[in-house]
Amino acid sequence: MADLRELYQEVILEHSKAPRNYRELAAANHSAEGYNPLCGDHFTVYLNLEGDSIRDISFQGSGCAISKASASMMTQTLKGKSRADAEKLFEAFRKLVTTGQANGDQPQLGKLAVFSGVSEFPVRVKCATLAWHTLQAALEGKQDTVSTE
Ligand code: ZN
């Protein structure tokens, strides 16, 4: 287990140092801002939605390694997915980071499984889910800043 944990930490560090899809999306037709006051994580998530499909997704902002890696891997996972898929993945991801367990009937989290260790650090759950809450606000078209508090 220790080796696996190290591997997970490496993946998270690597994504936080070189986040994917880290840019403003010129073609964005939805966006939202998210803030986690407990840690100071602050991101904007940009979406290009075509009908119900996420054609493109990106983010920008600043935050701790976990929040940034989570946002980076979320954008990688969701590109090309439908809004319904995104909502199901968020549910599965939230369960994973709060309980450390993936649910059998949930969609495949794939690489997002590296965040299972976050469940041991409840204060970090908000870091890991911030990008997802922000995504949800962007999908719903809310203009207000979402806060984890
Ligand atoms: Zn954080």
Side-chain angles (χ1 to χ4, degrees):
M1 260 332 259
D3 288 351
L4 192 60
R5 187 157 301 170
E6 257 169 50
L7 176 73
Y8 282 3
Q9 279 175 356
E10 251 171 56
V11 173
I12 288 172
L13 278 176
E14 198 271 319
H15 270 269
S16 74
K17 280 184 196 150
R20 315 303 196 272
N21 303 302
Y22 187 80
R23 62 197 154 87
E24 197 176 325
L25 199 64
N29 51 16
H30 285 251
S31 68
E33 216 181 318
Y35 182 49
N36 172 16
L38 275 183
C39 180
D41 311 316
H42 191 183
F43 293 111
T44 303
V45 171
Y46 302 93
L47 283 175
N48 181 348
L49 269 184
E50 200 176 75
D52 255 352
S53 138
I54 298 171
R55 274 199 65 204
D56 209 353
I57 175 169
S58 70
F59 80 104
Q60 259 190 336
S62 60
C64 64
I66 288 174
S67 64
K68 202 173 244 185
S70 173
S72 168
M73 292 175 77
M74 177 187 82
T75 60
Q76 272 195 318
T77 304
L78 294 184
K79 204 179 276 194
K81 294 271 198 306
S82 71
R83 179 191 285 248
D85 286 341
E87 278 161 13
K88 277 184 210 146
L89 280 162
F90 181 23
E91 238 176 81
F93 183 75
R94 183 152 47 183
K95 182 163 193 283
L96 179 78
V97 297
T98 50
T99 67
Q101 307 278 315
N103 195 339
D105 57 7
Q106 296 281 5
Q108 286 299 314
L109 284 166
K111 285 192 281 185
L112 294 170
V114 298
F115 290 96
S116 63
V118 169
S119 62
E120 288 169 41
F121 308 95
V123 74
R124 290 295 185 186
V125 170
K126 288 179 177 179
C127 300
T129 55
L130 176 64
W132 290 86
H133 282 293
T134 311
L135 164 86
Q136 206 170 39
L139 282 170
E140 286 166 9
K142 287 181 192 155
Q143 292 304 314
D144 295 342
T145 301
V146 296
S147 171
T148 54
E149 288 305 292

